[in-house]
Structures are given as C-alpha cells and as structure tokens.
Amino acid sequence: MSEANPIKQTARKVADALKGDGAGPEGGIPGKPGSRSPSVAEPTEPQGPLPPKPDQTGPDTVSPTGQPTGADQSTMAQAGSYLTTAQGARLYDTDHSLKAGPRGPVLLQDHHLREKIMHFDHERIPERVVHARGAAAHGIFTSYGTAASVTKAAFLAKDVETPVFVRFSTVLGSRGSADTVRDTRGFATKFYTGEGVFDLVGNNIPVFFIQDAIKFPDVIHAGKPHPDREIPQAQSAHDTFWDFVTLHTEATHHTIWNMSDRGIARSFRMMEGFGIHTFRLVNDKGNTTLVKWHWKPKLGVHSLVWEEAQIINGVDPDFHRRDLADAIEAGAYPEWELGIQTFPDTPEQTFEGIDLLDPTNIVPEELAPVQPIGRLVLNRNPENFFAETEQVAFHPGHLVSGIDITDDPLLAGRLFSYLDTQITRLGGPNFGQIPINRTHAPVNDMLRDSFHQSAVHTGVAPYRPNSLDGGCPFTAGADTGAYIETPVRVPEAKKVRDAPESFKDHFSQPRRFYLSMSPVEREHIIGAYTFELGKCWEQAIKERGLQVLANIDPELCAEVAAGLGLPAPKATVPLADVEPSPALSQLGRTWPTDGRVIGIVAGPDGDLDGVRAVRDAVLAGGMVPLVVAPTGGKLGDGADALPVQRTYATARSVEFDAVLLAGLPGVGADAYGARDAKSGLPSPQQATHDPRVSLLLSEAFRHGKAIGAWKGAEASLEAAGVPVDAPGVIVGDSGPSTLEQIARLLGAHRVWERFPGEA
C-alpha cells in the first residue's frame, strides 16, 4: 500500500496520541471521552470546538452528487466559540426562558426557547424495525485481484483500495437494548466504489429463517416482544417466537445456528459475516458465476458462554459497541478477509444437490472452498453516532457493474423493503444525499426535489430525451461502464404461489450443523434449547419444539426433553444421512491475540515491578492491559506509579479475556455489604481475601478463561476455589513468564478442556 494509505495515517495518529501530551488514552488504554482532558473548574475563556480524537473521522467530504469537495472534515462540524441559534445569531443565555419578570409567565415570543425545544422534540427518527441496535466504523477494503476472472467490478481489481463503512447490529432488540443477547447479528458493508455504492448487506449467520420474503413480517412479529405487554425485549426465549418456528419448520436451520454459540458473539471483531443469498458475478467477457459471500475475521470466530452473556447484559449492556470502538482507538484494527464460494451458473442453479436459491441452505466449505478476494480493515471510529451509524442506509439493490442478483425469493422482497424503509426513517427519497450515504461517483440522475433536497440542480430539462440541456444526461453502454442486468432466460411457467420441491427439506442441513459441532459446542446447543423452550409458557409449544429436535438428532431431543421434564418424541421423518462439515465448528484452531483485554489484579503491596513489566509486554503484544486494584488512582509513588483502570467495585470477570494476579491483592476498604453487595462482608476487617476478587476469579475459571498468578498469589486462587493445577491455570515465577504462557492459551480463545463434554 502507498504511504498515503488512510490505515497507516490513522495508525500514526494513534501512535502519536499514545506517546503522551494528554491527547491520547492514558498509558495506551482506550476509552478517553474527549480529545483533551478537562479542567476541574468550568472553562471561562471562549474557544472553538475541540478536534475529534485521533481514532475518529466523519464521512468523506463529497457533494450531494458525489463530487469530491476537497473540504476539511471540520467544515461539516459546528464552528465558532459562541453559542448561536440555528441561523447563527449569538445567544447570551440558554439557561432561562424569556419571562415577564423573574417570576412571571414565559412569553410566546421566546424564539430561542421554541427553536431549542422544537428541535429537541424531533431529535429522534423512527428506529429501524429490525437491526435497530447498531455500532459502526469506517475502513478500507483492499482487493487482492483474485476475483477479476469472475467479475468486472472495478473495485475488485488487483490492489484497488475502496473506502467502506460497516455497521454491525442485533436483529430483534430496540435501540436501547443490550448487546450480548442471543440473537442474529447484522454485518452490513457500504463500499464507496468509483462506479457507485455497493452494499453487501448480510448477517453473522449464513442462512435465514424464511425462504420467501412474504414471511418476513411474520418471523419478525413472532420474534419481537409480545404486542400486549411489550416484553420480552431483545430475545427469542418466549412463546410467540417458538410458536412460529416450530410450526414454520423452514426456520429450523437458522434457529439451531442461533441456539449455538454463534448466537452470543464475543465481539463484532470475532464474527463471521455472510451475504446469505446466492449472487451472480459477470466478467468482462459476459461469463457468469454464482457466488456466496463470506467475511472471515482475522481473530477467528469466538463466542461468549451463556452465563457471561447474561452478566454482561446487566453490568455493561454496551459491551460490543465499546469493544469495537476501544479496539480501533487502541490501534488493534479489526480485520476480515472477503471470500467467495463459486458455483457454475447452470439453469438448475444447484450444487452437489443443494438448491442455491434457498436462503436456508449453506454449501459446506469442504465442497466449495472459500476463496479470499480482499482484505477489510476498520481503522476509524465515527465522529457522530446519529449522523453516521444511525442514518446510514443500506440496500441490497445498491449494485455495481459485474455484480447481479438471482431469483432467490427472499432477496426479491428485500430489494423492495429496504428502499421503502428508508423513505419513512429518513424523511423522504433523498436519503442518499445524507453525508454517510453519499456515493463517491458522479451522480446525474434526473431525480428532483422532495424532502431534504440538498443538491442545487442546474438546467431546465430533467427528462429524456431533451435538447434544451444539450441532451444531457446521456445513457451509457457496456463499453462505458453501464450497469446491465444479466439476460437470464425466464422459464415458461404458470403464475402460482408455491415453492420448489427442493425447498421442502427442513432438517438435513440442521442435522449437518449439529453433527459438525464439538462435544462442548453440542452441550451449549442443548443448554440453549433447554433454556429457551423452558421460558415458554405453553406446554404445547415445548412439545412441538421437541418434535422438531427429534427430526434433527435423537440425542439432542432426549437431552433437551430431560431438561424440560418431558418425554422425548420419535422422529417423524427419516434422519438425514449427511457428512459433518468441520469448518462449521469454532474450535480446533489458534488465532492472533490482537486487542485481547488482560485484567491485572494487584494491590499496593503486590509485585508492582512485575505489573509494570507485564503491562508493557501486553501493550507490545497488541493487547490491552487493565489494572484492577482495591481503589482508583494509582499504585505506587513517583514517576513509575501505575494508573488504575478498574477497582474491585467496578471490575467484573466478563470484561477480561484472561486474568493475572500480581501477588496478594489485598482487601478493599469498601468490601462490605452496605457499600458493595458483591463483597458479602459485614466489615472488610474480617477478611484476608476480598470476596470480589474471589468472585472475579471463580467466574473466569468456570467460563474457561486463562488465569495466571505469581509472587504468592496462589492463596487468592485457593480462596476462590480455583485449583492451581487445573488446565489453563498458570502459577509462574514472574509476571512476564506467566504472561508468556497465558498468551499461548489465548490463541485458542478459551481453555476448552475445562468444560464438561469436551473430548
């Protein structure tokens, strides 16, 4: 890549910020709210808006019609040192309404009050019906050129760099819901290509609940909170969801993915992404290839365990969005490879007996390997959540030359639904002119007026043909980059409301998924079904759910039935004879440790030199060290004092990928029940070990996380009931040597040997 590459530029900015001067995260720890530390007293000297932090930037400065403006991004932000009205008139007071005397009535003529309240009343736009809870980032996609043989899309030519904006989301929850609920997650990418915007709008699960878009309102109505009480929020563990998916069994494959660990991702950085549908690529010779899109994370696919997810939802409901923003700020840029599975474009549109137009099907990677075609790096956080993350508008019909659709009936409905949704959410058809949505290619569309038109069009003839504007705009041909749909032959057929016979197999693919899991992953699936069906009120729905499971696998059905206290039914269809797909399991490989969070528990009398050495080594390894101590402030004195990021009261095990103990950490002065119920003590003087440290260690142990200790910290492990000889528990001679062993364990994500069922 060239030296002008935005990834390198941003990396240098972050590195400069980490050197000190108060501009960056203290000691390399992300999360500093603003670009400058505040004074204790309220500032009184007027000054202009502060710049964003080094990790933040807004949309590229292009005009409403896609032309680069060359303007600095600061021109998109507020300006000036003084408070003004929306029209720029300076204000002397914004704390008091205009009244008839200090105790008199408020006057109708208070134009500032009316403007301020009016705008506040309309700050919120309708949230998305689905995918309302989201987080996003800017980045760069660099093509390897390996797709050039199958598509003429210019952004997929060798070494082409394309700006992108990626939004991750949950499906069911509202904007205010928690991040780590069991749910499908959106993975939508906007490519600002030179030929126009291309949107790859997918999920972290490669199949969907339904085969035909006409069922989309049904599945979402079933998954959303019950309409009478508006509960439960952001979860599928309730009667209406299971009523629908056990009656509409084409949902079975997606459901078992959701009941697996895939439904509770560790972070957005550790999720796969899938385009779900089969698309058609066209090369410069007119040859076509059917493909499925895949995003493969550099850090591997990793998930939470269920207890972790439940704790996080209470103690940090913003866990996923915080993780994404902090990783980028710390310079641990999330990366994915974009890959494609390719299939011959035959009239049948099947591969190895699998119908490629059925969005509830996958093609195992053992049959069609995923071929890498490019690299995505997210390296910039948004400057403004609403302007970018909330207002970004995706559409699977935003295509570029060389990429075409197929006759997938779910995709057909999405091509209508996304456009229709934006008109309501974003106030009209000009949502493409919002800065985050603007194309980086020239626009001359003859579309005019309507709500929020920000382009100032010239000319008198927005129609074709015309002569008054010199015939402009002209249509393009294939030789001048026109988007031309592939001339696919449509078979002669009667108009029917029906589906192909191949769409009626609802159980062979879920069976393949279950048989592909490791023993511990199967245990998690069993636990998820038991929990979810156990939350249903109606007995009939539980029994129907067991019947669906019986048609997947008798062991799965029997174990869930035992948990529900119900008899296990027999299968009503022959069990499918399928080969497992090892690529579907999350276990068995090792991955980079970039951006992992290491909790270092220490007290004022612990091995502070060891903590300093470990902290430096963690940072050097591209990870994030968080020092946990009895109180805030610093540990030690002088220039070598260690900043404390968490206290026993504010820390919880779920925040860390591994925990280290630097000697005996001591007992906090607030370790008593009235101050912090987690301590469970009537008085801290009655203990030699702080129960909150013991809680942190016991949770980390049963969640399969690596734990390290040195300098006499074994006593803290024993107090927490953590066996010092258990797998993944390292008792070392020093901090650095202990960390070295812990880092090797982190490559496998968890210490899987600790889980019952692992083999």
Side-chain angles (χ1 to χ4, degrees):
M1 294 185 213
S2 69
E3 192 59 19
N5 186 290
I7 297 173
K8 291 186 177 180
Q9 292 175 341
T10 305
R12 282 196 297 270
K13 288 181 181 178
V14 172
D16 290 342
L18 298 183
K19 291 177 182 176
D21 77 8
E26 184 177 17
I29 304 303
K32 182 181 176 68
S35 60
R36 188 180 303 170
S37 295
S39 59
V40 175
E42 181 180 353
T44 56
E45 290 296 320
Q47 63 175 352
L50 296 179
K53 296 194 297 181
D55 62 290
Q56 295 176 317
T57 184
D60 287 358
T61 52
V62 294
S63 75
T65 53
Q67 302 177 69
T69 65
D72 188 276
Q73 290 205 336
S74 63
T75 63
M76 305 282 287
Q78 68 272 29
S81 303
Y82 294 95
L83 180 68
T84 73
T85 68
Q87 307 306 313
R90 289 186 179 180
L91 294 162
Y92 72 93
D93 186 293
T94 191
D95 297 325
H96 306 93
S97 301
L98 188 65
K99 308 180 187 70
R103 295 177 59 81
V106 175
L107 300 178
L108 182 62
Q109 69 186 65
D110 189 348
H111 61 92
H112 173 46
L113 167 69
R114 288 158 52 206
E115 179 186 73
K116 188 175 180 180
I117 294 297
M118 177 273 294
H119 198 282
F120 170 77
D121 288 345
H122 297 274
E123 279 183 1
R124 300 293 177 264
I125 62 176
E127 70 176 29
R128 290 167 170 84
V129 177
V130 289
H131 299 279
R133 173 79 177 179
H138 297 271
I140 292 288
F141 175 79
T142 305
S143 172
Y144 298 155
T146 48
S149 62
V150 292
T151 179
K152 59 186 176 182
F155 82 99
L156 292 176
K158 186 172 177 57
D159 295 332
V160 173
E161 295 183 348
T162 303
V164 298
F165 189 71
V166 179
R167 186 178 188 271
F168 305 100
S169 55
T170 53
V171 170
L172 291 178
S174 69
R175 274 191 62 190
S177 59
D179 279 346
T180 60
V181 294
R182 183 179 294 281
D183 197 0
T184 306
R185 283 165 176 81
F187 192 136
T189 307
K190 186 176 290 292
F191 297 82
Y192 302 97
T193 86
E195 297 181 301
V197 166
F198 170 55
D199 285 344
L200 181 51
V201 194
N203 287 333
N204 73 320
I205 291 177
V207 293
F208 210 66
F209 281 109
I210 53 176
Q211 297 166 325
D212 192 307
I214 201 169
K215 296 300 297 179
F216 194 72
D218 297 305
V219 66
I220 298 304
H221 287 167
K224 285 285 190 178
H226 295 195
D228 56 348
R229 300 188 182 188
E230 188 63 13
I231 54 174
Q233 175 62 246
Q235 58 181 294
S236 54
H238 56 94
D239 288 72
T240 59
F241 174 81
W242 287 99
D243 184 39
F244 177 81
V245 299
T246 56
L247 290 170
H248 200 67
T249 52
E250 68 190 50
T252 303
H253 194 194
H254 187 115
T255 302
I256 197 170
W257 276 76
N258 230 4
M259 294 302 107
S260 77
D261 293 338
R262 303 280 186 143
I264 42 176
R266 160 60 179 84
S267 75
F268 297 136
R269 300 179 293 127
M270 301 171 192
M271 284 190 338
E272 282 186 297
F274 304 91
I276 302 170
H277 310 285
T278 299
F279 286 78
R280 177 177 282 109
L281 299 186
V282 186
N283 67 14
D284 54 6
K285 297 178 181 178
N287 300 322
T288 62
T289 305
L290 300 182
V291 302
K292 286 184 175 290
W293 304 97
H294 294 251
W295 290 111
K296 296 288 188 181
K298 172 189 174 184
L299 300 180
V301 184
H302 183 32
S303 299
L304 301 168
V305 295
W306 182 230
E307 187 190 27
E308 269 186 301
Q310 292 175 302
I311 294 172
I312 292 169
N313 284 338
V315 300
D316 187 7
D318 304 307
F319 186 76
H320 281 162
R321 61 171 58 176
R322 188 190 314 281
D323 175 272
L324 177 67
D326 283 357
I328 293 172
E329 184 179 354
Y333 301 139
E335 293 186 24
W336 290 260
E337 274 196 318
L338 179 62
I340 52 174
Q341 289 179 296
T342 62
F343 318 101
D345 190 1
T346 63
E348 295 79 19
Q349 298 177 94
T350 62
F351 182 79
E352 298 287 342
I354 299 170
D355 193 327
L356 297 175
L357 298 188
D358 183 349
T360 68
N361 284 341
I362 65 163
V363 177
E365 293 182 28
E366 292 78 12
L367 298 179
V370 175
Q371 305 168 54
I373 64 172
R375 172 174 171 258
L376 167 67
V377 179
L378 298 182
N379 65 338
R380 296 177 290 146
N381 283 314
E383 282 185 355
N384 184 276
F385 184 92
F386 178 82
E388 300 170 79
T389 306
E390 189 62 23
Q391 289 197 123
V392 67
F394 297 96
H395 175 39
H398 288 164
L399 302 165
V400 294
S401 184
I403 303 176
D404 204 350
I405 61 171
T406 58
D407 292 330
D408 178 331
L410 176 62
L411 178 57
R414 292 179 72 196
L415 293 172
F416 168 80
S417 178
Y418 281 70
L419 280 178
D420 190 50
T421 296
Q422 311 308 347
I423 291 173
T424 297
R425 287 196 69 246
L426 300 174
N430 289 315
F431 60 85
Q433 295 182 15
I434 295 171
I436 193 62
N437 296 321
R438 290 179 182 176
T439 179
H440 294 187
V443 173
N444 196 345
D445 54 17
M446 295 195 301
L447 304 177
R448 294 294 186 269
D449 306 336
S450 193
F451 294 99
H452 313 303
Q453 175 62 256
S454 55
V456 182
H457 294 103
T458 60
V460 297
Y463 52 83
R464 270 193 51 81
N466 76 72
S467 62
L468 291 177
D469 280 348
C472 183
F474 297 86
T475 56
D479 59 337
T480 50
Y483 183 90
I484 301 174
E485 288 80 5
T486 308
V488 178
R489 183 177 298 278
V490 178
E492 295 183 8
K494 296 179 181 179
K495 292 190 294 185
V496 295
R497 293 189 183 274
D498 202 354
E501 188 66 27
S502 58
F503 277 38
K504 296 179 182 178
D505 174 12
H506 300 164
F507 299 111
S508 64
Q509 291 236 340
R511 178 163 172 77
R512 186 199 310 275
F513 181 83
Y514 184 73
L515 295 179
S516 302
M517 296 294 102
S518 67
V520 68
E521 289 173 305
R522 292 189 193 183
E523 288 294 324
H524 291 168
I525 291 172
I526 291 167
Y529 274 108
T530 305
F531 176 88
E532 297 257 330
L533 289 171
K535 296 286 282 188
C536 292
W537 179 269
E538 296 292 350
Q539 187 80 353
I541 293 175
K542 298 178 185 179
E543 294 175 5
R544 196 189 309 136
L546 290 174
Q547 185 61 69
V548 170
L549 298 184
N551 292 339
I552 298 174
D553 186 84
E555 175 203 35
L556 171 62
C557 179
E559 293 298 325
V560 175
L564 297 176
L566 295 172
K570 301 294 184 182
T572 57
V573 298
L575 293 176
D577 183 13
V578 293
E579 287 293 323
S581 170
L584 296 175
S585 173
Q586 296 182 194
L587 275 62
R589 285 158 285 180
T590 57
W591 304 98
T593 58
D594 305 34
R596 294 307 182 93
V597 180
I598 311 299
I600 307 171
V601 184
D605 300 323
D607 179 17
L608 299 189
D609 288 337
V611 174
R612 292 185 189 95
V614 165
R615 193 173 180 277
D616 291 343
V618 170
L619 286 169
M623 298 178 285
V624 177
L626 296 180
V627 175
V628 184
T631 65
K634 295 187 176 183
L635 289 175
D637 301 315
D640 292 333
L642 287 161
V644 174
Q645 284 81 36
R646 300 289 186 272
T647 66
Y648 296 168
T650 61
R652 200 68 188 263
S653 67
V654 291
E655 187 174 9
F656 310 119
D657 294 289
V659 177
L660 302 178
L661 288 96
L664 291 173
V667 181
D670 59 346
Y672 56 97
R675 185 71 55 82
D676 187 350
K678 293 194 301 298
S679 75
L681 294 176
S683 169
Q685 285 74 34
Q686 297 178 346
T688 56
H689 300 280
D690 196 303
R692 295 168 297 183
V693 174
S694 296
L695 176 64
L696 187 152
L697 292 171
S698 64
E699 287 178 350
F701 181 78
R702 67 175 179 266
H703 297 158
K705 295 179 179 178
I707 299 173
W710 72 93
K711 201 93 173 186
E714 298 94 321
S716 291
L717 297 178
E718 293 169 1
V722 174
V724 295
D725 58 350
V729 178
I730 306 298
V731 178
D733 298 326
S734 67
S737 65
T738 303
L739 175 64
E740 185 177 346
Q741 298 179 72
I742 292 294
R744 286 198 291 269
L745 293 169
L746 281 174
H749 295 311
R750 294 187 192 276
V751 183
W752 296 106
E753 298 87 343
R754 243 185 250 158
F755 287 93
E758 175 59 13

